Amino acid sequence: MTHVVTPHPRPSFLQAFLRSEALGGYVLMAAALAALIIANSPAAPLYFDVLGSKLGFQAGPIVLRETVLHWINDGLMAVFFLLVGLEIKREVLDGQLRGVSRIVLPGIAALGGMVAPALIYVLINIGSPETLRGWAIPAATDIAFALGILALLGSRVPTSLKIFLTALAILDDLGAIIIIALFYTAQLKVVALAMAGALLVCLFCLNRAGVTRLTPYLLIGAVLWYFVLKSGVHATLAGVALALTIPLSPRNAGKPGAHSPLHDLEHALHKPVALLIVPIFGFANAGVSFAGMGLASLAQPVPMGVALGLFLGKQLGVFGFAWLAIKAGVASLPRHATFTQLYGIALLCGIGFTMSLFIGALAFTDAANVDATKIGVLAGSLASGLIGFLLLRIKPAAPSEDVAHQAAS
């Protein structure tokens, strides 16, 4: 009997995404660890001086002069938000979030995962109007870190749960974008905002006119970023706005080998963002000096609110809302998954590194609260990641898709 050897299919976009995000999570972990080591070494003054030094230029009325830290947080992270926007658009129109049935469970879980951490933070900081501004810090999940940990677990976690976590994190990012736009916007400057609005209309007109070349979108997007920066709305939201205008329909639709502009740009950005931009952000924002700090420092309202929001709030919100939805018959437990594994995923959702640090930098301008935020994010994320990993590692896995298929045959 002759066995026909079929070639291995090319990895799906989801598989490529999971691998890229997992690798990015490892690089981000290394960058954050390096920042902590340097910030607590003799090189600390140089580290903070470089981040605080100003760079920029002036060309007539155009003035761009910011600190290195602001260039990273406002400039490089705009590219990160562009990628996030592309992922959201693709998943909603042509991916895991397309259709009500697919979005119900991750959507409900994401809602719980934003509400519960925020409530815990507010309850701990209720007596301090100044620190209440940080209520949204523990409401975010870091997909790179979480998928990096899942990659270490291999086949012990079914693919359905990895898809669930990815969809939840994307919805989580969407919620964070809305929160930033509504609650962390400075005093608006009407002229700059009007210019940004006009450029956004131009981008939508390009889309409606069927323009599929990326160059005009990116050139107008760069100018859009400048005016959004000057408008008082956080500059990174320009990346999201640009992403929504990038066409999803392929160039030369119907012809063999047709390419979608959105997919092309998303593919081009994935590795640079995961392996360079996000680690640079982590390196620039994770550095905090532990000199003179003890357990009492963690007991202060800001770090305690952030840490408990991430560790307790995320697991209670994500698992609690998902459990209620499944028991009520509104949604189904992901295939080949157990409630214990779902709880482990909910724990991993408490890793809030990138977006939590980002929102913390918007919420607070004083060094004390910024450092307190970092301590809370590091503590809550570390506890969530470690316990989530141990639970998923120790708990016997349910039969995977491959095992189930073999048994059936």
Side-chain angles (χ1 to χ4, degrees):
M1 182 176 180
T2 304
H3 292 280
V4 178
V5 179
T6 56
H8 291 290
R10 292 182 62 188
S12 68
F13 184 87
L14 176 65
Q15 290 172 324
F17 173 82
L18 292 174
R19 281 201 297 268
S20 176
E21 290 291 325
L23 179 59
Y26 301 145
V27 178
L28 179 56
M29 291 178 201
L33 181 60
L36 287 171
I37 292 172
I38 292 174
N40 291 276
S41 75
L46 176 62
Y47 169 80
F48 290 110
D49 285 346
V50 169
L51 291 176
S53 59
K54 286 202 168 186
L55 297 174
F57 65 89
Q58 180 173 355
I62 299 176
V63 180
L64 272 176
R65 191 171 299 278
E66 303 286 347
T67 64
V68 171
L69 183 61
H70 276 102
W71 275 113
I72 293 170
N73 291 352
D74 295 352
L76 284 182
M77 287 300 283
V79 182
F80 166 79
F81 275 86
L82 169 60
L83 179 60
V84 169
L86 293 171
E87 290 172 351
I88 291 172
K89 181 173 180 177
R90 172 182 52 76
E91 290 293 344
V92 169
L93 297 181
D94 192 32
Q96 295 302 320
L97 300 180
R98 183 181 181 182
V100 176
S101 61
R102 291 183 174 183
I103 203 173
V104 170
L105 185 62
I108 292 173
L111 177 63
M114 287 185 282
V115 171
L119 285 176
I120 288 177
Y121 183 93
V122 168
L123 288 173
I124 293 174
N125 287 267
I126 194 70
S128 174
E130 179 187 349
T131 60
L132 274 177
R133 277 185 53 80
W135 63 270
I137 295 171
T141 294
D142 193 301
I143 183 64
F145 258 127
L147 288 177
I149 291 176
L150 280 186
L152 296 175
L153 292 162
S155 61
R156 298 188 68 83
V157 177
T159 301
S160 62
L161 277 182
K162 296 175 183 177
I163 294 172
F164 166 77
L165 176 60
T166 303
L168 186 153
I170 289 173
L171 291 170
D172 207 307
D173 285 342
L174 177 60
I177 289 167
I178 294 171
I179 288 170
I180 291 169
L182 294 179
F183 299 101
Y184 295 104
T185 293
Q187 186 175 359
L188 296 178
K189 296 177 182 176
V190 178
V191 175
L193 193 61
M195 291 297 294
L199 290 168
L200 192 56
V201 170
C202 290
L203 287 167
F204 276 110
C205 288
L206 286 177
N207 183 298
R208 298 301 297 172
V211 176
T212 55
R213 288 187 61 197
L214 285 170
T215 303
Y217 289 96
L218 297 179
L219 290 175
I220 295 175
V223 183
L224 174 67
W225 174 85
Y226 172 78
F227 282 109
V228 172
L229 175 70
K230 296 299 182 180
S231 72
V233 177
H234 200 271
T236 52
L237 297 180
V240 180
L242 172 61
L244 298 180
T245 68
I246 303 296
L248 179 63
S249 56
R251 303 185 184 96
N252 304 315
K255 293 185 178 181
H259 293 283
S260 160
L262 187 146
H263 287 141
D264 287 347
L265 183 57
E266 188 177 5
H267 179 74
L269 290 178
H270 247 299
K271 286 186 178 179
V273 168
L275 303 180
L276 187 64
I277 290 176
V278 172
I280 288 175
F281 171 83
F283 180 77
N285 287 272
V288 58
S289 174
F290 296 127
M293 291 187 183
L295 290 177
S297 300
L298 186 58
Q300 297 301 311
V302 170
M304 182 64 71
V306 172
L308 290 182
L310 287 171
F311 180 63
L312 288 180
K314 275 293 183 179
Q315 59 174 292
L316 291 175
V318 170
F319 182 76
F321 275 52
W323 183 86
L324 287 173
I326 293 168
K327 290 300 182 182
V330 177
S332 300
L333 187 67
R335 290 183 62 201
H336 307 294
T338 66
F339 275 109
T340 302
Q341 289 175 318
L342 182 63
Y343 180 63
I345 294 295
L347 276 164
L348 294 185
C349 288
I351 305 172
F353 192 81
T354 303
M355 197 68 82
S356 292
L357 289 178
F358 186 82
I359 294 175
L362 298 180
F364 302 122
T365 55
D366 60 298
N369 279 326
V370 170
D371 285 349
T373 296
K374 294 177 183 179
I375 294 169
V377 169
L378 291 171
S381 298
L382 181 62
S384 298
L386 181 60
I387 297 177
F389 172 82
L390 291 175
L391 178 64
L392 291 169
R393 179 71 182 84
I394 295 169
K395 176 66 180 176
S400 67
E401 292 90 335
D402 295 334
V403 173
H405 177 75
Q406 291 172 5
S409 59

